[in-house]
Amino acid sequence: MSKILVVDDERPIAEILKYNLEKEGHQVILAFDGEEALRRVQSDEPDLIILDIMLPKKDGYTVCREIRSQREVPIIMLTARETELDKVLGLELGADDYVTKPFSAREVSARVKAILRRARQNTDQAKPGEKKTLSHGGLLVDLDEMKVFNRGNEVDLTYREFTLLVYMMRRPGHIFTRQQLLNHVWGYDYIGDERTVDVTVRRLREKLEREPAHPEFIHTKRGVGYFFKREPV
C-alpha cells in the first residue's frame, strides 16, 4: 500500500481524489495549503504527492521547490492553467508529471499507477548476475540506492530524471526518439507532449555536465532524439 499526499485548497476536489485513491488501495493524507503540505511531507513521508499549483500561504511551485531540496518523492502537479509555460515551469522545478483541471479521477489514478509502478521497478534489487551499478567515466549510478555520483559528488536527481538517465545509460550509443523515451520512461499511458523530454534532458545536463552546452554524457541527434555517449573502447 502506498501513502499519497493530496494537496488542494478546494476541499471537494481533495475529497474526491482521496475517495478514489483509497478505492485503489492507497493510504491518502490531505493538506489544504502550502505550509500544511510541507509539514505533512516531513511528518508522514508520503510515497507520492499530488500538488495543486494555486494554494494559499505558499503556492505549489514554491512547495515543489522546497520539497525537491529535501526529498526525491514523485510529484504530480495539478493546474487549472493550460499554457505550455506553466507546465514547463512545473517540470523545471522538479515535478514528475502534471494533470490539467478539469480532470477525471480515472486519469489521475492512471498517472499515479504509472509513476508508482516505475518507482517500484527502479528500486527493485538487481536480478542475479545483473549489475547493481552503472558507470561512465566519472559518473556512477547506484541502482539499489537510487543515487548518482558525478566525479565523487552526489547529485540530487528527481525520480523522473533518474529513470531517464538509467534507461539511456543501459543502452549507450542507442539513439532514442522523444516518443520512445516518453513511452518507456513516462509510460505508454502518459498524455504529455515531447517537450517534457526536452525539459528533463536539459535539467539532467545542468546537473551532470561541466558544460551543458557541450555535453559529455547525453547527446542530441538533431531531428531524431537523444543518446547516451558510448565509452571509447
Side-chain angles (χ1 to χ4, degrees):
M1 178 174 65
S2 299
K3 187 186 297 183
I4 299 175
L5 172 62
V6 174
V7 188
D8 198 314
D9 63 323
E10 296 183 69
R11 289 177 181 263
I13 292 178
E15 293 290 350
I16 288 171
L17 287 171
K18 182 175 188 291
Y19 173 77
N20 283 280
L21 290 169
E22 285 181 340
K23 283 203 307 181
E24 299 283 342
H26 304 294
Q27 178 185 348
V28 180
I29 308 151
L30 298 182
F32 303 103
D33 64 61
E35 291 182 357
E36 184 184 6
L38 292 171
R39 290 195 299 270
R40 286 291 194 176
V41 170
Q42 290 293 332
S43 63
D44 294 278
E45 298 185 347
D47 300 302
L48 182 144
I49 300 169
I50 299 175
L51 176 65
D52 190 29
I53 290 178
M54 304 301 290
L55 293 170
K57 298 186 180 179
K58 287 189 177 184
D59 64 57
Y61 292 135
T62 302
V63 173
C64 182
R65 185 187 300 111
E66 293 191 24
I67 291 172
R68 275 287 167 261
S69 69
Q70 306 167 30
R71 300 175 185 273
E72 296 307 320
V73 57
I75 298 173
I76 299 175
M77 300 201 80
L78 302 179
T79 174
R81 304 171 179 178
E82 295 187 0
T83 67
E84 181 174 332
L85 177 62
D86 292 315
K87 295 172 183 177
V88 168
L89 179 57
L91 295 170
E92 291 279 11
L93 293 173
D96 297 284
D97 204 348
Y98 56 83
V99 177
T100 303
K101 295 180 177 179
F103 53 80
S104 69
R106 181 177 297 178
E107 178 186 3
V108 176
S109 178
R111 301 290 183 94
V112 167
K113 282 181 180 178
I115 287 180
L116 290 176
R117 180 176 64 249
R118 290 181 179 276
R120 283 192 294 269
Q121 289 172 351
N122 282 304
T123 53
D124 283 346
Q125 294 289 325
K127 297 175 183 177
E130 185 178 51
K131 288 184 178 180
K132 295 186 179 182
T133 61
L134 297 171
S135 63
H136 183 290
L139 186 64
L140 176 68
V141 178
D142 185 323
L143 299 174
D144 284 347
E145 298 286 333
M146 287 188 71
K147 291 182 178 180
V148 176
F149 300 89
N150 193 11
R151 302 174 183 89
N153 299 312
E154 186 171 356
V155 182
D156 290 327
L157 299 185
T158 68
Y159 154 73
R160 195 70 74 184
E161 291 162 357
F162 179 87
T163 306
L164 178 61
L165 176 63
V166 169
Y167 185 73
M168 297 182 72
M169 282 187 75
R170 281 178 164 156
R171 297 184 67 185
H174 181 87
I175 300 170
F176 297 96
T177 67
R178 291 171 177 80
Q179 189 59 53
Q180 285 174 326
L181 293 172
L182 275 177
N183 290 344
H184 291 281
V185 177
W186 278 260
Y188 287 97
D189 46 5
Y190 184 71
I191 306 172
D193 56 42
E194 295 181 357
R195 172 70 169 153
T196 302
V197 177
D198 297 331
V199 172
T200 308
V201 168
R202 185 169 73 247
R203 284 175 54 84
L204 268 175
R205 283 174 171 164
E206 289 170 353
K207 293 180 179 183
L208 298 177
E209 306 284 359
R210 280 183 272 201
E211 296 183 61
H214 304 283
E216 175 185 351
F217 304 118
I218 300 176
H219 292 252
T220 302
K221 182 66 173 177
R222 190 174 299 277
V224 182
Y226 299 100
F227 66 96
F228 193 91
K229 185 178 180 181
R230 192 189 303 274
E231 283 196 284
V233 179

